[in-house]
Amino acid sequence: MLMQLILQQPQMLGPILQRTPTWVWGLLAALLWLGASQWFDRTVGLRRVVLMPVAMTGFSAYGLASAFANPAQAGTAFGAWLLTAAAAAALALWFRPEAPAGARYDSTARRFHLPGSAMPLVLIVGIFLVKYAVGVELALQPALARDGTFALQIAVLYGLFNGLIVARALRLGRLAQRPALQSA
């Protein structure tokens, strides 16, 4: 319905954006900063590499739990989310098993040297937009909270984004293990 509304009655987008709670815009700004910070080459520790996938997975889980409270429906949605995330991560690793060109791991300092990339920003904003769109859809059509098909579609979207984020972290984890494997 949201897409139909935007396409057929774009003037309704203004009131929707105006009624969005202020904290949502603060969260968007923080997520944009986090994603944009990864456009540039940087050096980060393992904790920072793991933090983003954990945070975005938590955000997705919260998105599912807050949108679909029916236990049976939520269980099915969480199952679809996990299955999609695992499949997306496996496919991403299969198609691109190596860390990005230019990525290095300094085992002495225990830090990664990472090239800049826009992909984290795209994935972060994607998860945010799914959560935002679901919130708007449920405000416009509360009955969707009990629609199993809608819940599965959202779970699959979250799972896709989470799988790609996790695959990136796993590639970096492989990079960190490589020196240990070569010296053994």
Side-chain angles (χ1 to χ4, degrees):
M1 176 167 177
L2 180 60
M3 287 308 272
Q4 286 177 327
L5 190 68
I6 291 170
L7 294 174
Q8 295 173 2
Q9 298 178 3
Q11 70 277 10
M12 291 302 296
L13 191 55
I16 290 171
L17 295 175
Q18 289 173 341
R19 289 187 178 100
T20 299
T22 305
W23 68 266
V24 172
W25 302 123
L27 177 61
L28 177 59
L31 292 172
L32 288 172
W33 174 83
L34 175 65
S37 71
Q38 297 188 37
W39 269 355
F40 307 101
D41 293 357
R42 66 207 179 285
T43 301
V44 297
L46 180 61
R47 185 178 301 152
R48 177 96 188 263
V49 167
V50 172
L51 182 62
M52 188 179 74
V54 169
M56 290 295 101
T57 298
F59 191 54
S60 293
Y62 170 73
L64 283 175
S66 65
F68 309 107
N70 176 333
Q73 182 181 13
T76 303
F78 275 104
W81 170 58
L82 289 172
L83 183 63
T84 303
L91 284 171
L93 289 170
W94 184 58
F95 281 112
R96 188 171 170 207
E98 297 299 319
R104 302 184 322 277
Y105 179 69
D106 181 346
S107 59
T108 306
R110 298 180 60 153
R111 298 194 58 80
F112 292 90
H113 303 281
L114 302 175
S117 172
M119 187 54 68
L121 176 63
V122 169
L123 296 173
I124 289 168
V125 170
I127 290 172
F128 175 86
L129 288 175
V130 169
K131 173 76 175 107
Y132 185 80
V134 168
V136 171
E137 285 286 355
L138 291 175
L140 295 172
Q141 298 181 71
L144 283 177
R146 294 178 302 282
D147 184 336
T149 302
F150 182 69
L152 285 176
Q153 291 170 346
I154 300 310
V156 166
L157 278 173
Y158 278 136
L160 179 63
F161 286 120
N162 286 132
L164 295 175
I165 289 172
V166 167
R168 180 177 177 271
L170 290 173
R171 283 186 199 103
L172 295 175
R174 286 180 179 172
L175 183 65
Q177 290 177 342
R178 193 170 298 142
L181 295 175
Q182 290 173 350
S183 63

